[in-house]
Amino acid sequence: MNDKKIATIAVRAGINSDEHHGAVIPAIHLSSTYALKGFNEKRQFDYSRTGNPTRATFAQAIADLEQGAIGIVTSTGMSSVHLICQLLSTEDTVVIPHDCYGGSYRLFTHLAKRGQFKLIVVDQNDESALTEALSQKPKLVLLESPSNPLLRLVDIEKITKDCHQVGALVAVDNTFLSPALQQPLLLGADIVFHSTTKYINGHSDVVGGVLVTKDKALGEELAWWANCIGITGSPFDSYLALRGLKTLPIRMKQHQENADVVAKYLKEHSAIEAVYYPGFPDHPGYEIAKRQQHDFGAMMSFEVKGGVEAVKKLFANLELFTLAQSLGGVESLISHPSTMTHAGMEISAQIEAGITQSLVRISVGIEDSDDIVKDLAAGLAASQL
Ligand code: PLP
């Protein structure tokens, strides 16, 4: 267990580990294979799908940040989710939130349709529905807090206790906050995972994933599967993500400072019906956020008055915000969840989850907040013409 503070762990990951040359920053190891010392005498690494020094350094850094036993770096965030599915067999039940990331929803619903496991999709804020789901004795419960795109929160500690009582493992998608702002394993969860494509790498130039387990044996089982099915991350992506990680805590500070300004601005704007941001005291998850998060994050979504036509005008009149999928990079991004990130969900499931045509999601970047607000002001004014 690494007892250093988060910023120290992030910066120091892999530093001074080169015993040959004394390189301060760990080298990138691109080699796909490693020479044996002799007959049946393996070194620490033998083949890069199974293990790679650069990937191992990155995995250890995230495991340390999440205070877990084993970290596994995968090729994408979705392959981390898929890796967790390897724990399931046809008789097992899985519970997922009705408002999770569209890609996770698509994966679980399609695998369930093929009979790989039984699936219950539930509003995890509906206590009686969740209790009913847990009475089915699921093997795995997936949590996503805050959720994508509506920023709903669930009480990770409480739900985890309830899940453990029925013998379920709890896996938490921590992509929206990163370990700098939330550490689900410390709240009792068994597995935490990320799309490192987002805040952890932070520069929108890597697609990757990582998963950390609290328990060593569970981590070893999943690492075995990651090698078996061949979804481990590449050395180059691991190198870039490790580089991005070093500034994670400081980036998150600026992301949030800007998000606070932007959220308050949007809340007062006459073109906006509602803003979903857990940093508002009247947000239903505010008290939970204060308890289980280190801060409120920099993701938010809002409903524009005038429906999808107003949304189109808003998008067409922005200069600084880029209309693009993804989140968590230094640059501000804007998206329309229904037709973009959550297009993998049928419209009926979107409606059930509360995703409307007038819903817009933003990932607040670290540009100057004056410029971010000015851009939104221009777009929102045009949206109502
Ligand atoms: N989880 C969340 C919350 C996401 O937003 C995403 C991607 O947008 C993923 C998982 C999947 O990650 P990736 O796109 O890296 O496969």
Side-chain angles (χ1 to χ4, degrees):
M1 193 80 38
N2 190 325
D3 61 359
K4 299 273 189 306
K5 297 278 200 289
I6 286 172
T8 311
I9 297 174
V11 169
R12 301 298 306 184
I15 299 260
N16 294 340
S17 57
D18 176 12
E19 287 173 7
H20 292 292
H21 306 293
V24 173
I25 295 299
I28 174 170
H29 291 272
L30 294 169
S31 185
S32 56
T33 191
Y34 302 83
L36 276 74
K37 285 188 196 155
F39 180 77
N40 207 14
E41 277 185 76
K42 280 186 197 164
R43 299 172 198 262
Q44 184 183 353
F45 298 101
D46 68 344
Y47 186 58
S48 272
R49 166 162 43 77
T50 320
N52 169 278
T54 312
R55 191 168 68 233
T57 304
F58 178 48
Q60 188 58 51
I62 305 292
D64 287 347
L65 285 170
E66 291 286 10
Q67 300 284 305
I70 300 234
I72 303 164
V73 173
T74 61
S75 55
T76 65
M78 284 318 302
S79 57
S80 278
V81 185
H82 199 194
L83 181 56
I84 299 169
C85 294
Q86 304 307 318
L87 297 171
L88 303 165
S89 59
T90 48
E91 288 312 303
D92 292 326
T93 298
V94 185
V95 176
I96 66 165
H98 75 325
D99 56 347
C100 61
Y101 167 58
S104 304
Y105 179 89
R106 178 174 56 197
L107 178 69
F108 280 101
T109 51
H110 281 74
L111 290 180
K113 265 187 214 153
R114 286 171 138 201
Q116 296 204 9
F117 45 75
K118 294 176 208 153
L119 182 67
I120 302 176
V121 182
V122 73
D123 175 355
Q124 294 176 337
N125 275 307
D126 177 341
E127 240 176 85
S128 63
L130 185 59
T131 306
E132 166 62 27
L134 294 187
S135 73
Q136 304 300 307
K137 302 225 177 311
K139 168 102 184 251
L140 173 73
V141 176
L142 187 88
L143 308 183
E144 188 179 303
S145 184
S147 69
N148 181 1
L150 284 158
L151 283 298
R152 295 194 186 115
L153 269 66
V154 290
D155 187 330
I156 297 174
E157 192 166 18
K158 180 181 178 308
I159 294 183
T160 299
K161 273 192 192 135
D162 294 345
C163 291
H164 285 170
Q165 290 216 322
V166 298
L169 287 171
V170 175
V172 181
D173 187 336
N174 201 20
T175 299
F176 262 36
L177 290 177
S178 89
L181 301 187
Q182 179 169 268
Q183 293 160 297
L185 300 185
L186 297 182
L187 299 167
D190 304 285
I191 300 172
V192 58
F193 64 93
H194 296 268
S195 163
T196 55
T197 316
K198 321 300 182 195
Y199 288 107
I200 287 181
N201 177 59
H203 295 76
S204 301
D205 51 8
V206 166
V207 175
V210 69
L211 175 161
V212 180
T213 62
K214 191 164 54 185
D215 177 66
K216 190 161 175 270
L218 180 63
E220 283 167 353
E221 184 181 349
L222 287 166
W224 184 90
W225 275 110
N227 175 55
C228 177
I229 57 179
I231 53 161
T232 46
S234 82
F236 192 62
D237 287 348
S238 300
Y239 175 83
L240 281 178
L242 183 65
R243 179 181 158 128
L245 180 71
K246 294 193 185 301
T247 55
L248 173 71
I250 190 94
R251 276 188 281 113
M252 292 317 288
K253 277 191 190 149
Q254 193 59 47
H255 275 297
Q256 291 189 121
E257 202 177 300
N258 288 358
D260 185 58
V261 173
V262 171
K264 286 180 179 144
Y265 172 77
L266 293 175
K267 196 164 193 187
E268 298 305 319
H269 203 289
S270 59
I272 289 181
E273 207 92 59
V275 182
Y276 307 114
Y277 180 60
F280 291 137
D282 60 356
H283 184 283
Y286 178 75
E287 290 304 326
I288 299 177
K290 287 217 313 194
R291 235 183 7 254
Q292 75 185 13
Q293 300 179 188
H294 307 316
D295 219 320
F296 299 113
M299 293 301 299
M300 65 192 73
S301 55
F302 55 91
E303 308 272 356
V304 185
K305 284 185 187 159
V308 75
E309 291 311 316
V311 170
K312 286 183 199 166
K313 287 187 217 157
L314 161 67
F315 289 169
N317 286 280
L318 293 171
E319 277 182 9
L320 184 144
F321 274 85
T322 305
L323 175 60
Q325 310 258 14
S326 206
L327 61 111
V330 290
E331 73 288 350
S332 291
L333 297 180
I334 195 160
S335 67
H336 183 240
S338 175
T339 54
M340 296 169 69
T341 50
H342 288 64
M345 252 177 166
E346 318 82 74
I347 290 289
S348 57
Q350 288 188 13
I351 292 169
E352 173 72 26
I355 300 167
T356 66
Q357 291 304 305
S358 51
L359 184 74
V360 168
R361 188 191 80 181
I362 56 175
S363 169
V364 179
I366 62 170
E367 304 93 341
D368 192 294
S369 61
D370 284 351
D371 292 324
I372 298 176
V373 167
K374 232 188 255 172
D375 199 42
L376 286 169
L380 286 167
S383 76
Q384 303 299 300
L385 295 176

